[in-house]
Coordinates of all heavy atoms in Angstrom, one line a residue:
Y52 N 78.7 87.2 105.8 CA 79.2 86.1 106.7 C 78.0 85.6 107.5 O 77.2 86.4 108.0 CB 80.3 86.6 107.6 CG 81.5 87.1 106.8 CD1 81.5 88.3 106.2 CD2 82.5 86.2 106.5 CE1 82.6 88.7 105.4 CE2 83.6 86.6 105.7 CZ 83.6 87.8 105.2 OH 84.7 88.2 104.4
T53 N 77.9 84.3 107.7 CA 76.8 83.8 108.5 C 77.1 83.8 110.0 O 78.3 83.8 110.3 CB 76.4 82.3 108.0 OG1 77.6 81.5 108.4 CG2 76.1 82.2 106.6
F54 N 76.1 83.7 110.7 CA 76.2 83.6 112.2 C 75.4 82.4 112.7 O 74.3 82.0 112.1 CB 75.6 84.8 112.8 CG 76.4 86.1 112.6 CD1 76.2 86.8 111.5 CD2 77.4 86.5 113.6 CE1 77.0 88.0 111.2 CE2 78.2 87.6 113.3 CZ 78.0 88.4 112.2
L55 N 75.9 81.7 113.7 CA 75.1 80.6 114.3 C 74.0 81.1 115.1 O 72.9 80.5 115.2 CB 76.0 79.7 115.2 CG 77.0 78.8 114.4 CD1 77.8 78.0 115.4 CD2 76.2 77.9 113.5
S56 N 74.2 82.3 115.7 CA 73.0 82.8 116.5 C 72.7 84.2 116.2 O 73.6 85.0 115.8 CB 73.4 82.7 118.1 OG 74.2 83.8 118.4
A57 N 71.5 84.6 116.3 CA 71.0 85.9 116.0 C 71.6 86.9 117.0 O 71.9 88.1 116.6 CB 69.5 86.0 116.0
K58 N 71.9 86.5 118.2 CA 72.4 87.3 119.2 C 73.8 87.8 118.8 O 74.2 89.0 119.0 CB 72.4 86.6 120.5 CG 73.3 87.1 121.6 CD 72.6 87.8 122.7 CE 73.4 88.3 123.9 NZ 74.6 89.1 123.6
T59 N 74.6 86.8 118.3 CA 76.0 87.2 117.9 C 76.0 88.2 116.7 O 76.8 89.2 116.7 CB 76.8 86.0 117.5 OG1 76.6 85.0 118.4 CG2 78.3 86.3 117.4
M60 N 75.0 88.1 115.8 CA 74.9 89.0 114.7 C 74.6 90.4 115.3 O 75.2 91.4 114.9 CB 73.8 88.6 113.8 CG 73.7 89.6 112.6 SD 72.3 89.3 111.5 CE 73.0 88.3 110.3
F61 N 73.7 90.5 116.2 CA 73.3 91.8 116.9 C 74.6 92.4 117.5 O 74.9 93.6 117.3 CB 72.2 91.6 117.9 CG 71.8 92.8 118.6 CD1 71.1 93.8 118.0 CD2 72.3 93.1 119.9 CE1 70.8 95.0 118.7 CE2 72.1 94.2 120.6 CZ 71.3 95.2 120.0
D62 N 75.3 91.5 118.3 CA 76.5 92.0 119.0 C 77.5 92.5 118.0 O 78.2 93.5 118.3 CB 77.1 90.9 119.9 CG 76.2 90.6 121.1 OD1 75.4 91.4 121.4 OD2 76.5 89.5 121.7
T63 N 77.6 91.9 116.9 CA 78.6 92.3 115.9 C 78.2 93.7 115.3 O 79.1 94.6 115.1 CB 78.7 91.3 114.7 OG1 79.0 90.0 115.3 CG2 79.8 91.6 113.8
F64 N 77.0 93.9 115.1 CA 76.5 95.3 114.6 C 76.8 96.3 115.7 O 77.2 97.5 115.3 CB 75.0 95.3 114.4 CG 74.6 95.1 113.0 CD1 74.2 93.9 112.5 CD2 74.7 96.2 112.1 CE1 73.9 93.8 111.2 CE2 74.3 96.1 110.8 CZ 73.9 94.8 110.3
E65 N 76.8 95.9 116.9 CA 77.1 96.9 118.0 C 78.6 97.0 118.2 O 79.0 97.8 119.0 CB 76.4 96.4 119.3 CG 74.9 96.3 119.3 CD 74.3 97.7 119.3 OE1 74.4 98.4 120.3 OE2 73.7 98.1 118.3
G66 N 79.3 96.2 117.5 CA 80.8 96.3 117.6 C 81.3 95.5 118.8 O 82.4 95.7 119.2
N67 N 80.5 94.6 119.3 CA 80.9 93.8 120.5 C 81.2 92.4 120.3 O 81.2 91.6 121.3 CB 79.8 93.9 121.6 CG 79.5 95.3 122.0 OD1 80.3 96.2 121.9 ND2 78.2 95.6 122.3
A68 N 81.5 92.0 119.1 CA 81.8 90.5 118.9 C 83.1 90.4 118.2 O 83.1 90.2 116.9 CB 80.7 89.8 118.1
D69 N 84.2 90.6 118.9 CA 85.5 90.5 118.3 C 85.7 89.2 117.6 O 85.5 88.2 118.1 CB 86.5 90.7 119.5 CG 87.8 91.3 119.0 OD1 87.7 92.0 117.9 OD2 88.9 91.1 119.6
G70 N 86.3 89.4 116.4 CA 86.6 88.2 115.6 C 85.5 87.7 114.7 O 85.7 86.8 113.9
C71 N 84.4 88.3 114.8 CA 83.2 87.9 113.9 C 83.2 88.9 112.7 O 83.5 90.1 112.9 CB 81.9 88.0 114.6 SG 81.7 86.6 115.8

Side-chain angles (χ1 to χ4, degrees):
Y52 298 84
T53 63
F54 290 86
L55 283 181
S56 82
K58 162 106 176 47
T59 316
M60 181 187 265
F61 176 77
D62 289 344
T63 306
F64 261 99
E65 298 286 294
N67 300 329
D69 205 23
C71 287

